[in-house]
Amino acid sequence: MKKFINNTDTLLDESLGGFAKAHADIIQFNTQPHFIRRIKPTAPGKVALISGGGSGHEPLHSGFVGSGMLDAACPGQVFTSPTPDQMLAAAQAVENGGGVLFIVKNYAGDVMNFEIAAEMLDCPNESLLVSDDVSFPKSHSTGRRGVAGTLIVEKIVGAAAENGTDLAGCKALGERVNRATASMGVALSSCTVPALGKPTFDIGDNEIEMGVGIHGERGRERIAMGSASEIVDYLANAIDEDLKPQPGQSALLHVNGFGATPLLELHLIYGLAAQFWEQRGITICRSLVGNYTTSLDMAGCSITLSLFDDELLRLWDAPVHTAALRWGC
């Protein structure tokens, strides 16, 4: 294992400290317990949006704290859920009279710990579960995982909260975006968790893992390596069968890198995916390409399609000022 590390036990603290220094104009790092919060005050009565999860997915979620998105993010250890005390402290720090909306990726540890925090929080609060991964059926025992579509939920709900939408309205909007969003990923390699010191799974030079998660877990099927066009067709067909977009609909197309795939390849994937839906009469009205929901040093990517109407498009285009997303301001 070759990584820029002093000590695996202090890796997260040192990384978060560096992140806070790099973006001191936007965020503040609370060390005990760990959470990242926005610096600039919000309007009284604004709904506070809080998300979080295991580290290793950067810039998700800490990179999305700031004006127009999250009020706070709770980073756990690498691929480990944050603790309820982190979530509680973050909520108490940023709640401003409008209540708290927890945005939670559908992983058992995240769900459980956010539920505990919500029970302890002495203010109005709701939880929004993100479950955009179509690798498994909706009837899966634990439900579908929350993956790259989480960014889209956080951006759109963040814009609505900034504009004064109340707690119930923010939750309903987030559920609507979640229903209109589908993702699926492919891994060309595993990732290496620093504390483990070796890849989380073995994969042959001529194999790929389809439907992979973002924690180094295996996907739904291992197949032989194919061309970029064949891989995109596999992912896009799974997404298309789930969302069933109709000709004439508008959509955002997001190609997300898992950490070790260059933009040269990600833009190639985007071009193929855009062509796939444009040939079916879908209008790709917005795009996002890059490493946003990563899995440490995994080579691979995911494709996300989110169906948009005029309201969602307006909220996506609304100003945002975070470490990882910034436009309109």
Side-chain angles (χ1 to χ4, degrees):
M1 180 179 72
K2 289 184 178 179
K3 291 184 180 293
F4 294 112
I5 292 177
N6 291 319
N7 186 302
T8 55
D9 293 334
T10 61
L11 170 59
L12 181 58
D13 280 4
E14 292 180 274
S15 177
L16 290 172
F19 174 75
K21 284 187 176 182
H23 301 287
D25 59 324
I26 303 173
I27 59 94
Q28 176 181 327
F29 172 36
N30 190 84
T31 57
Q32 292 297 331
H34 289 159
F35 64 85
I36 300 289
R37 62 170 296 179
R38 66 161 84 178
I39 285 180
K40 292 183 179 179
T42 59
K46 177 195 172 298
V47 175
L49 304 185
I50 299 173
S51 193
S55 296
H57 307 305
E58 291 77 16
L60 190 82
H61 296 274
S62 298
F64 303 139
V65 174
S67 178
M69 283 191 79
L70 300 176
D71 293 273
C74 303
Q77 292 295 324
V78 174
F79 293 173
T80 303
S81 299
T83 59
D85 67 306
Q86 289 176 258
M87 302 160 186
L88 181 62
Q92 291 171 336
V94 300
E95 202 280 327
N96 196 22
V100 171
L101 180 63
F102 293 113
I103 300 177
V104 188
K105 300 190 304 301
N106 188 30
Y107 288 91
D110 290 3
V111 172
M112 179 180 68
N113 287 352
F114 271 106
E115 284 179 350
I116 294 170
E119 290 173 0
M120 294 189 295
L121 187 59
D122 189 22
C123 73
N125 66 87
E126 294 285 352
S127 293
L128 169 62
L129 203 61
V130 182
S131 55
D132 57 304
D133 187 358
V134 300
S135 301
F136 298 102
K138 292 178 180 178
S139 58
H140 191 267
S141 58
T142 58
R144 288 176 164 174
R145 300 172 294 203
V147 287
T150 309
L151 176 160
I152 299 169
V153 172
E154 291 177 352
K155 171 62 185 79
I156 290 176
V157 177
E162 210 75 49
N163 291 338
T165 301
D166 64 14
L167 182 58
C170 284
K171 180 179 180 179
L173 176 64
E175 290 173 339
R176 178 175 147 209
V177 176
N178 184 58
R179 288 192 301 269
T181 303
S183 304
M184 191 169 176
V186 55
L188 309 183
S189 74
S190 181
C191 60
T192 302
V193 176
L196 183 62
K198 62 181 182 180
T200 56
F201 62 82
D202 295 322
I203 187 166
D205 290 341
N206 196 38
E207 294 179 319
I208 57 176
E209 195 82 14
M210 302 300 299
V212 73
I214 58 173
H215 296 86
E217 68 270 45
R218 292 183 174 182
R220 72 177 188 182
E221 184 181 12
R222 182 168 292 187
I223 64 174
M225 180 69 185
S227 68
S229 294
E230 291 168 339
I231 293 169
V232 168
D233 281 349
Y234 185 113
L235 299 175
N237 272 303
I239 292 168
D240 198 72
E241 290 171 8
D242 187 88
L243 276 186
K244 295 180 172 56
Q246 299 301 306
Q249 283 190 284
S250 296
L252 176 147
L253 177 58
H254 174 30
V255 173
N256 169 65
F258 286 151
T261 301
L263 282 169
L264 180 73
E265 297 173 40
L266 295 180
H267 281 115
L268 182 153
I269 295 294
Y270 176 85
L272 293 170
Q275 183 181 56
F276 177 94
W277 276 294
E278 287 168 351
Q279 289 176 343
R280 288 158 175 77
I282 308 305
T283 300
I284 304 300
C285 62
R286 293 293 182 273
S287 63
L288 187 66
V289 181
N291 291 297
Y292 291 98
T293 303
T294 60
S295 184
L296 292 170
D297 56 352
M298 179 181 282
C301 70
S302 60
I303 296 174
T304 299
L305 193 74
S306 190
L307 302 180
F308 272 17
D309 56 21
D310 289 344
E311 180 189 12
L312 299 187
L313 181 60
R314 175 179 55 80
L315 291 169
W316 176 262
D317 286 345
V320 59
H321 189 85
T322 70
L325 284 186
R326 192 174 302 186
W327 59 70
C329 54

